[in-house]
Amino acid sequence: MRTQVGIIGAGPAGLLLSHLLHLRGISSVVLEKRSRDHVERRVRAGVLEHGTVDTLVQAGVGARLLREGLPHHGIELRYGAESHRIAFDQLLPGRSITVYGQQEVVKDLIAARLAAGGDIRFEVTDVALHALEDRPYLTFGGERLDCDVIAGCDGFHGVSRPAVPDGVLTTYERAYPFAWLGILARVPPSAEELIYARTDRGFALHSMRSPEVSRFYLQVPPDTSADDWPDERIWAELKARLETVPGFTLATGEIFDKGVTPMRGFVTEPMQYGRLYLAGDAAHIVPPTGAKGLNLAVADVRVLAEALDAFFATGSADLLDGYSRACLKRVWRAQHFSWWMTTLLHTFDTDDDYGRRLQVSHLDYVTASEAAATTLAENYVGLP
Ligand code: APR
Ligand code: PHB
């Protein structure tokens, strides 16, 4: 078998890349180790930056997103006994975010690829990368796929990054001493906007998926299992962390999904080796506090699709050679923003009264100063 671009991973990065290449007349095959059902049900974050929405709409895969996505023009920061709105619409006229589950993006992309005759192989085994320096090929389940280029879109635990010879990549990492417990509940949102809450019991986030379904997160110890969290315990803790302002009552309902997300920052430099290009979580991870993971994956493959277009159209590898450099600026901005939001809103084991007062002082500043609020807002909705 032969294709122009062999893509490993059918997450948002691999699927969108395959679609963007198809629009440019470039062939690809996507190899995914999990089932279609599994990738379509995997619950992840759900905040799309302005530019991410534009990319999906321009690529012709935004119809359902425009119909069902929930546009948001601000977020709420809750701490002490007060709520403060960061009003994107006033600070940055015309820019907003859209709440739309990542697995909905994945479903839309799979549907678009299959409708166009795209080649996605689910449940493939033993994917391995070979001859990355010049004539790359992939093997899987006893088959061989020759390619001009390989895109490693196989997430943090994939096989692409480890296929690069030792000593080529430098990795940068930050671990956090907590995780997030995320749930989906069949209950209408208790507020119109996302609420990021800092309390001495830990962080909590109120989000949503639809007028009938709410999404919540709790800061939890890193070694927690979802089994440690029966529904009553989750609701009690969410109430303790969110019902901190007068007049706010948290509506509760049936919890139908629970999962624990580790929190880490990770970047590999460069994001390429020979004819292998890494995109999305395969190259970098952010803690979910700024909701940047999916948006970074989309930004990477936008750059990669352009570079591949130039490469196949003209034979020039200039843009491909600059791929990593072009992506890493945005990647590091998102690393910093996610780290900053995380340190602003979570409790750390090492917190002392001095540290806590610094945190509150910073929150007071962000909510009182238009300059500071604009900094948060422009990073949150996404830099151009
Ligand atoms: N062979 C084939 N496929 C693999 C392999 C492998 N050895 N290892 C992993 N995969 C698949 C995974 O099953 C997954 O479907 O690669 C895909 C990677 O997809 P994601 O993890 O969704 O990563 P990405 O597409 O980069 O999207 C980034 O998704 O992880 C979230 O929060 C993250 O929002 C971010 C976004
Ligand atoms: C979500 O709705 O899943 C979500 C929202 C905001 C975040 C992270 C996740 O910062």
Side-chain angles (χ1 to χ4, degrees):
M1 266 192 300
R2 202 193 139 81
T3 189
Q4 287 172 290
V5 183
I7 299 176
I8 312 174
L15 291 166
L16 180 60
L17 179 64
S18 176
H19 180 70
L20 293 176
L21 293 176
H22 163 71
L23 297 178
R24 290 164 172 78
I26 299 167
S27 67
S28 66
V29 175
V30 180
L31 304 179
E32 166 59 53
K33 76 170 178 187
R34 312 301 297 252
S35 67
R36 176 176 178 183
D37 192 54
H38 179 91
V39 299
E40 289 191 339
R41 281 170 192 260
R42 198 164 38 193
V43 179
R44 297 273 183 72
V47 171
L48 308 189
E49 290 177 2
H50 206 86
T52 298
V53 172
D54 286 349
T55 298
L56 295 170
V57 170
Q58 281 159 20
V61 285
R64 195 162 69 93
L65 152 64
L66 291 178
R67 246 187 358 257
E68 296 176 16
L70 306 169
H72 281 237
H73 301 284
I75 56 168
E76 194 177 314
L77 296 180
R78 190 170 284 190
Y79 63 100
E82 290 173 21
S83 262
H84 300 265
R85 182 164 190 256
I86 304 292
F88 305 151
D89 44 358
Q90 283 158 33
L91 298 164
L92 305 164
R95 286 206 264 161
S96 55
I97 53 123
T98 299
V99 174
Y100 188 66
Q102 177 167 315
Q103 77 269 36
E104 305 306 322
V105 175
V106 165
K107 279 184 211 159
D108 294 345
L109 287 167
I110 290 175
R113 286 310 295 124
L114 296 181
D119 192 347
I120 311 176
R121 313 283 172 100
F122 291 102
E123 296 179 75
V124 299
T125 53
D126 304 322
V127 175
L129 303 81
H130 311 271
L132 298 176
E133 290 78 9
D134 45 7
R135 298 170 65 83
Y137 66 97
L138 293 165
T139 51
F140 60 98
E143 301 198 59
R144 171 175 169 146
L145 175 65
D146 286 283
C147 343
D148 296 304
V149 165
I150 295 175
C153 303
D154 48 350
F156 184 66
H157 300 287
V159 288
S160 301
R161 200 177 61 251
V164 176
D166 286 347
V168 172
L169 304 179
T170 306
T171 56
Y172 300 86
E173 215 161 341
R174 166 77 24 121
Y176 295 91
F178 40 75
W180 275 16
L181 173 72
I183 64 150
L184 283 170
R186 231 172 291 286
V187 59
S190 298
E192 282 180 8
E193 296 188 332
L194 272 61
I195 303 169
Y196 287 80
R198 183 220 166 275
T199 77
D200 288 340
R201 305 176 69 95
F203 168 76
L205 175 59
H206 164 278
S207 182
M208 62 202 68
R209 285 294 177 271
S210 72
E212 295 84 34
V213 172
S214 297
R215 175 86 170 141
F216 296 98
Y217 297 95
L218 283 170
Q219 175 186 350
V220 292
D223 49 2
T224 287
S225 143
D227 299 337
D228 301 336
W229 289 86
D231 296 5
E232 313 72 56
R233 184 178 178 201
I234 293 175
W235 288 122
E237 199 56 41
L238 282 170
K239 280 175 170 282
R241 297 187 196 182
L242 286 163
E243 289 183 344
T244 55
V245 295
F248 179 84
T249 310
L250 188 71
T252 63
E254 180 212 345
I255 296 176
F256 63 94
D257 189 89
K258 269 182 217 179
V260 176
T261 310
M263 303 276 283
R264 68 159 74 83
F266 172 89
V267 180
T268 183
E269 290 190 16
M271 294 165 52
Q272 62 197 80
Y273 171 71
R275 294 292 188 91
L276 168 68
Y277 299 87
L278 302 171
D281 277 16
H284 41 71
I285 300 272
V286 282
T289 321
K292 291 293 166 213
L294 167 64
N295 297 292
L296 280 181
V298 168
D300 286 351
V301 300
R302 214 162 45 201
V303 175
L304 187 54
E306 284 301 319
L308 288 168
D309 194 19
F311 177 67
F312 288 113
T314 68
S316 162
D318 288 355
L319 286 181
L320 275 180
D321 292 346
Y323 164 69
S324 186
R325 210 171 334 109
C327 292
L328 282 167
K329 259 195 131 118
R330 176 184 293 273
V331 167
W332 277 110
R333 178 88 298 281
Q335 289 288 333
H336 179 267
F337 179 64
S338 308
W339 165 84
W340 179 73
M341 287 281 279
T342 303
T343 51
L344 194 61
L345 292 162
H346 291 72
T347 49
F348 288 76
D349 304 339
T350 50
D351 279 356
D352 54 6
D353 287 342
Y354 185 88
R356 262 191 293 278
R357 278 171 169 71
L358 284 184
Q359 222 175 13
V360 170
S361 164
H362 202 145
L363 281 162
D364 285 343
Y365 178 55
V366 167
T367 52
S369 153
E370 187 171 323
T374 306
T375 297
L376 192 161
E378 73 172 351
N379 279 278
Y380 198 91
V381 302
L383 291 156

